[in-house]
Amino acid sequence: MQDIILELKENIIKALNLEDMSPADIDENAPLFGDGLGLDSIDALELIVLMEKNYGIKLRSPNEGKEIFESVVSMAEYIKANRTK
Amino acid sequence: MRIFVTGIGIISAIGNNATETTQSFIRAKSGICPIRYLSTSHKNLLVGEVKQTNEEMKRFLGISQSTPSIRTALMGMIAVEEAIRSAMLDKKTMSDSMSVLINGTTVGGMDKVEDFYTDFIENDTKNEYIHMQHCGTCSEMIADYHRCFKKVNTISTACSSAANAILSGAEMLRQAEADIVVAGGSECITRFHLNGFNSLMIIDESPCRPFDAMRQGLNLGEGAAFVILETEEHFNKRAVQSKPLAEFKGGANVCEAYHQTASSPNGNGAFKAMKVALKNANLQPSDIDYINAHGTGTQNNDLSEGIAIQRLWGNEIPYVSSTKSFTGHTTSAAGGVEAVISILALQNSIVPQNINFENPMPELNFLPVVEKTQNVKLTNVISNSFGFGGNDTSLIFSKV
Amino acid sequence: MKANIYINAIKQISAQNALCEEWFEKPIYYSENFVKSLDEDYRQYFSPNEVRRLGKMLKRALLTARKALESNENKSLDAIITGTGLGCLENTELFLDRMVRQGEQMLNPTQFMNSTHNTISSLIAIDTGCKGYNSTHTHNGVSFEHALFDAVMLLNKDNNTTAMVCGHDEMTPTYFNFLQKAGYLGQQGETFASETAVAMLLSRQQTDYSFCKIEAIDILYGQPSDIVNIYQPPTEIDAIMTGINGFDKNDNIYTDVCGKLFADTPILQYKNIFGENYTASALGIYVAAECIKLGVVPLHLLYNKKRPKSIRKILSYNHFGGKNHAFVLLSK
């Protein structure tokens, strides 16, 4: 699990161009949207692309991603259970 | 100074000219269908395509099949031709006057660029298409076909492009920078923006449902539509044996400055665009009989625009409909397509209905027009076009 | 009604040193055929989160806009109008390339969002909070003049407006190759291909920092032979700022039209130091404005060795493809 979390953080940094951040700066339990990392609706769409590209998981809408994208941990759990690559 | 609309031309999914377009509204016949002309892997999506191949359009225009062309320019040529004819203008009169073409487009010749991108990289067989990526080249192709324009400009403000072209053209007349203005927009569907809107996840896989609580997004459309604008004085001097088609009363371009793609939930941009347009037209909200809404069918737009309409009109809301349920969202051309539709509504005393509507939005106090509405007295119509980046424009047309 | 309209601020990022006028005394010359702009260190100006989605061109657009506003006496802004030839080309190319290679799958919305031409004007609007008129003109090599003309129409209408007019274009190696094949950039004898970022502020109020007055703008469409007949040239101009770039096919149109309309007027150039691109004329107008402000033309801008006696009026003449002809008359 820790491996996925670290890899996922690196992927998020790359996909969202958070160039001033390192994986250690991201609290895997903190919310990704709103108060935590402060991501927005466009980032949600980018995360959907990330899920498909890196893990072969297709989400149909940002709504479907709401719970999955709550935190890095929730994303990692979903990836672990559903990844196709 | 009064600005008249003296000619109109339109081609879209619901018709190749103004007469066919009006008929489609009277018969409530939508042009949204499965993809037939665009080559794409998203075959499941519904679109509002112009029902002609490029070859058919070339034949109609008398252009040889071997002449390199782009779909946006071909549709533009057809709509401009119809507009010039309907204004009872001829190329000679236009050439002798300061005639101006202002075209709103964003994709330009992207249809050919995406087809030949690999050729551009690997060989020299398609080099003549490289320049056509430019929006400006597309406008020049339209101008060169008609050979009667001394000024040509291209405006690209995404989905409000054509509306801004009309606004800009009217201002040129007011400031005596032009005698005859042909303004509107043209845009074909490309894989580029089909995939773009798809990546933003705002495409409905069913026919779009503007102002419906269950709406899932837009259907892309394509088309071209232009109006001929002249001052009252210029029109009267031409001694044409007919009335102008409508008066362009005024409009407004504002920027919401809220988000790169989204509209604000309280509709500030839409509210301001309509409010300033009314002020510029010297009209009160109560003077408006019909709102041709931007109404894309996305969650975001219809809520924002709906709230803005509610804020401005309170409990006295005029007829509202989104004709994108017929044409699909013709993006940069939408401002022209919907300006022409608004004028057709005025001329024919009809309010195009908002098809596919079933479920009222809980946030709104009004329903769009859902039934055939004919023989209604329409005097003033407002047409909204809102683009990415909060580029919000409203235009007001009135019966003469 | 034609009002007096002044250019009160101009900021640029280009192949010459950014945000300054060092090119006037010490221009940088290039022997390459494609030169990227000399960027600022944008981390100095923006927080990383603020610009994480933005490519170089959009950062340039925001920075030139901010700097122009800072340098103006009046900090308010009522309208933003941009001229751009190919818009955000880098993002357009990325989206297009991936779409073609990935078979229309897994595409990034950010690139699409940033690929539309009007994203420049709208980002400046978000950054400056300017909720007024906002437009984008994209008519090949005369896009900037159309934007300028739009601003002048707006100011003719309204006395209290401050309008920002921007010219922005970027170039990528891929598109440099495409356009070279299409006969536009990198031609025989032609100056280097470059990029433009210019922000100007216009108003009807003259300030201590005003560069010049805009007397007239005419943008005409037609063959050079038509233009010579339609265009009514102004009199008593001290010099013509042209887009001469070293490529005969381009330059001959300038010398022909200027020869017919203004036989003995000194001809100036700027593309020898700023390069060629769709909105390079924004830099040409900036250079002309600076010369009027200082009352002198540096030697490296002289094209036909004729030095203007005084510099009170410069006509900027820019043509694109011999079909679009833009004349902008600037005066002290």
Side-chain angles (χ1 to χ4, degrees):
Chain A
M1 192 67 184
Q2 280 309 314
D3 293 357
I4 301 184
I5 287 176
L6 181 65
E7 183 198 272
L8 187 56
K9 283 181 179 179
E10 282 166 353
N11 286 335
I12 291 173
I13 288 171
K14 211 170 120 207
L16 306 184
N17 205 13
L18 305 167
E19 53 178 46
D20 60 326
M21 299 194 92
S22 66
D25 297 328
I26 301 175
D27 175 354
E28 58 258 37
N29 293 303
L32 287 167
F33 294 85
D35 290 342
L37 205 50
L39 303 183
D40 66 11
S41 60
I42 298 293
D43 295 312
L45 298 170
E46 290 292 352
L47 291 180
I48 291 175
V49 176
L50 179 154
M51 293 287 270
E52 186 175 358
K53 227 175 207 169
N54 295 298
Y55 307 105
I57 297 171
K58 259 193 167 170
L59 300 176
R60 290 169 56 86
S61 77
N63 267 346
E64 207 180 309
K66 243 178 198 161
E67 281 170 19
I68 303 162
F69 296 151
E70 238 170 53
S71 67
V72 173
V73 168
S74 64
M75 273 181 88
E77 280 166 356
Y78 190 84
I79 290 166
K80 207 174 159 200
N82 296 284
R83 68 190 300 169
T84 60
K85 70 177 183 190
Chain B
M1 184 186 287
R2 296 176 81 186
I3 306 288
F4 286 156
V5 179
T6 63
I8 49 173
I10 184 167
I11 178 167
S12 76
I14 55 169
N16 297 317
N17 52 50
T19 311
E20 289 181 18
T21 306
T22 308
Q23 283 305 313
S24 293
F25 287 124
I26 290 171
R27 293 186 193 134
K29 192 170 174 296
S30 169
I32 293 168
C33 308
I35 292 178
R36 192 165 128 202
Y37 299 92
L38 181 78
S39 157
T40 170
S41 60
H42 300 294
K43 279 289 174 206
N44 58 319
L45 296 180
L46 299 172
V47 288
E49 288 175 305
V50 165
K51 308 289 182 281
Q52 291 192 58
T53 62
N54 288 8
E55 289 68 30
E56 285 165 333
M57 286 194 275
K58 279 185 180 177
R59 210 170 302 133
F60 177 81
L61 288 160
I63 296 173
S64 91
Q65 295 297 339
S66 60
T67 306
S69 68
I70 54 180
R71 192 165 169 87
T72 296
L74 293 172
M75 297 188 309
M77 291 169 195
I78 292 173
V80 168
E81 179 71 26
E82 186 192 5
I84 292 173
R85 278 171 197 264
S86 91
M88 289 186 254
L89 279 163
D90 57 76
K91 301 284 167 72
K92 167 94 175 47
T93 310
M94 290 189 68
S95 302
D96 292 344
S97 314
M98 184 51 84
S99 297
V100 179
L101 175 68
I102 310 176
N103 179 33
T105 187
T106 301
V107 307
M110 187 54 87
D111 57 329
K112 293 297 173 191
V113 171
E114 64 193 18
D115 280 353
F116 301 141
Y117 180 73
T118 314
D119 294 295
F120 295 169
I121 292 173
E122 290 171 0
N123 60 61
D124 288 321
T125 57
K126 303 291 180 196
N127 288 355
E128 67 268 32
Y129 289 94
I130 292 173
H131 265 314
M132 294 184 195
Q133 179 165 346
H134 277 280
C135 300
T137 306
C138 169
S139 312
E140 288 177 14
M141 289 167 82
I142 298 171
D144 291 348
Y145 176 78
H146 294 287
R147 294 165 159 268
C148 58
F149 295 104
K150 289 197 182 70
K151 294 183 183 176
V152 181
N153 186 19
T154 311
I155 291 182
S156 180
T157 54
C159 303
S160 60
S161 302
N164 283 326
I166 292 170
L167 206 55
S168 179
E171 195 53 39
M172 286 181 80
L173 289 173
R174 286 196 191 97
Q175 299 199 16
E177 294 285 350
D179 300 321
I180 300 167
V181 167
V182 182
S186 185
E187 194 127 291
C188 72
I189 301 180
T190 66
R191 286 194 290 287
F192 188 91
H193 70 293
L194 183 77
N195 278 283
F197 283 100
N198 198 36
S199 77
L200 289 166
M201 296 194 151
I202 49 172
I203 293 184
D204 196 333
E205 291 183 5
S206 319
C208 68
R209 293 159 274 180
F211 296 107
D212 189 294
M214 306 303 285
R215 68 197 181 281
Q216 294 291 323
L218 53 83
N219 304 137
L220 269 190
E222 66 181 358
F226 288 83
V227 295
I228 310 269
L229 301 175
E230 294 172 74
T231 62
E232 181 179 25
E233 195 194 349
H234 190 272
F235 179 73
N236 289 342
K237 235 191 262 168
R238 281 209 286 132
V240 184
Q241 299 292 313
S242 69
K243 276 197 343 176
L245 306 180
E247 179 176 353
F248 174 61
K249 279 270 174 142
N253 158 324
V254 305
C255 184
E256 187 167 68
Y258 173 75
H259 185 270
Q260 262 187 288
T261 54
S263 305
S264 69
N266 53 11
N268 282 340
F271 178 80
K272 192 175 165 193
M274 292 188 284
K275 200 177 165 172
V276 180
L278 283 165
K279 183 174 155 269
N280 290 343
N282 280 320
L283 293 172
Q284 298 299 318
S286 57
D287 294 325
I288 297 294
D289 304 301
Y290 167 47
I291 302 171
N292 184 292
H294 185 54
T296 55
T298 62
Q299 283 288 334
N300 181 244
N301 175 80
D302 295 3
L303 177 62
S304 178
E305 187 177 15
I307 296 283
I309 290 171
Q310 218 163 265
R311 281 172 61 193
L312 199 50
W313 275 274
N315 291 321
E316 304 288 321
I317 295 186
Y319 293 120
V320 179
S321 73
S322 165
T323 45
K324 288 185 176 75
S325 56
F326 283 83
T327 60
H329 187 356
T330 59
T331 53
S332 292
V337 166
E338 287 159 32
V340 169
I341 289 172
S342 299
I343 293 161
L344 290 173
L346 283 171
Q347 275 191 305
N348 297 290
S349 304
I350 54 168
V351 175
Q353 69 206 77
N354 191 109
I355 49 178
N356 311 324
F357 176 89
E358 278 177 23
N359 311 289
M361 287 168 62
E363 303 91 340
L364 302 181
N365 69 351
F366 68 91
L367 301 179
V369 176
V370 290
E371 285 169 346
K372 266 186 210 176
T373 310
Q374 296 187 45
N375 304 317
V376 280
K377 187 176 162 287
L378 299 179
T379 309
N380 301 301
V381 173
I382 190 164
S383 173
N384 289 336
S385 296
F386 306 145
F388 269 8
N391 274 132
D392 296 341
T393 297
S394 296
L395 306 175
I396 299 175
F397 297 95
S398 306
K399 214 166 197 149
V400 180
Chain C
M1 183 189 62
K2 302 281 178 215
N4 286 332
I5 291 164
Y6 302 91
I7 302 179
N8 291 335
I10 314 178
K11 293 292 167 190
Q12 58 84 19
I13 296 172
S14 66
Q16 298 294 322
N17 282 324
L19 306 173
C20 69
E21 280 68 45
E22 269 177 41
W23 55 268
F24 203 92
E25 297 278 335
K26 279 183 276 176
I28 303 166
Y29 291 99
Y30 294 94
S31 55
E32 298 90 331
N33 59 7
F34 170 33
V35 174
K36 298 284 285 180
S37 285
L38 302 177
D39 277 302
E40 289 286 278
D41 177 6
Y42 296 107
R43 281 172 302 187
Q44 268 185 65
Y45 301 100
F46 305 107
S47 74
N49 197 41
E50 202 173 13
V51 291
R52 67 188 163 90
R53 292 197 187 116
L54 310 184
K56 281 276 168 65
M57 190 174 85
L58 290 172
K59 288 179 192 162
R60 289 173 197 154
L62 289 187
L63 185 57
T64 48
R66 282 188 191 180
K67 289 286 171 188
L69 269 178
E70 275 172 26
S71 75
N72 203 26
E73 281 177 8
N74 177 1
K75 307 292 176 206
S76 73
L77 184 60
D78 307 293
I80 299 164
I81 308 167
T82 297
T84 179
L86 279 171
C88 297
L89 189 57
E90 205 177 275
N91 276 284
T92 305
E93 183 187 326
L94 278 171
F95 192 82
L96 177 63
D97 191 82
R98 285 190 192 170
M99 182 181 85
V100 171
R101 285 177 209 279
Q102 293 170 192
E104 300 181 65
Q105 300 302 318
M106 293 176 284
L107 297 167
N108 301 90
T110 307
Q111 284 157 10
F112 176 67
M113 177 174 90
N114 284 341
S115 76
T116 54
H117 300 73
N118 69 322
T119 203
I120 310 168
S121 277
S122 67
L123 266 176
I124 298 173
I126 292 169
D127 195 53
T128 58
C130 173
K131 295 181 170 23
Y133 187 85
N134 190 292
S135 196
T136 301
H137 297 258
T138 171
H139 195 71
N140 288 331
V142 292
S143 303
F144 180 76
E145 282 89 342
H146 276 295
L148 200 63
F149 177 77
D150 197 0
V152 166
M153 286 207 299
L154 207 62
L155 291 167
N156 278 336
K157 250 192 336 192
D158 185 1
N159 187 26
N160 293 314
T161 296
T162 300
M164 179 177 284
V165 182
C166 309
H168 292 288
D169 266 298
E170 63 185 345
M171 191 46 62
T172 68
T174 311
Y175 269 84
F176 173 73
N177 288 333
F178 288 180
L179 292 164
Q180 190 170 26
K181 297 203 306 184
Y184 172 55
L185 298 172
Q187 305 300 300
Q188 181 71 37
E190 187 173 350
T191 187
F192 56 97
S194 64
E195 303 174 310
T196 292
V198 169
M200 296 185 183
L201 290 173
L202 270 59
S203 91
R204 279 162 64 167
Q205 279 70 46
Q206 192 176 357
T207 72
D208 293 345
Y209 301 99
S210 292
F211 282 74
C212 60
K213 206 163 106 179
I214 300 177
E215 296 260 351
I217 302 179
D218 292 276
I219 312 162
L220 297 166
Y221 187 72
Q223 295 304 315
S225 51
D226 304 326
I227 299 308
V228 174
N229 291 324
I230 308 167
Y231 181 57
Q232 296 180 326
T235 53
E236 294 176 357
I237 54 171
D238 301 306
I240 306 165
M241 182 61 77
T242 65
I244 279 173
N245 70 12
F247 176 42
D248 284 345
K249 200 173 150 195
N250 171 67
D251 296 355
N252 291 343
I253 292 169
Y254 285 107
T255 46
D256 283 1
V257 172
C258 291
K260 285 187 180 119
L261 293 176
F262 315 95
D264 294 317
T265 311
I267 293 177
L268 309 179
Q269 60 180 340
Y270 60 94
K271 289 184 177 170
N272 56 334
I273 58 171
F274 284 99
E276 179 67 275
N277 62 71
Y278 292 103
T279 39
S281 61
L283 292 160
I285 288 166
Y286 154 68
V287 169
E290 181 71 12
C291 291
I292 290 174
K293 191 176 180 181
L294 299 177
V296 59
V297 174
L299 288 173
H300 54 265
L301 300 182
L302 302 183
Y303 173 70
N304 57 358
K305 307 289 176 235
K306 277 186 215 152
R307 191 157 197 176
K309 290 183 199 81
S310 66
I311 282 291
R312 297 188 60 82
K313 261 190 193 180
I314 298 181
L315 179 72
S316 161
Y317 169 36
N318 167 38
H319 83 75
F320 182 78
K323 282 169 96 178
N324 296 282
H325 306 261
F327 301 92
V328 179
L329 183 60
L330 305 173
S331 74
K332 198 160 181 78

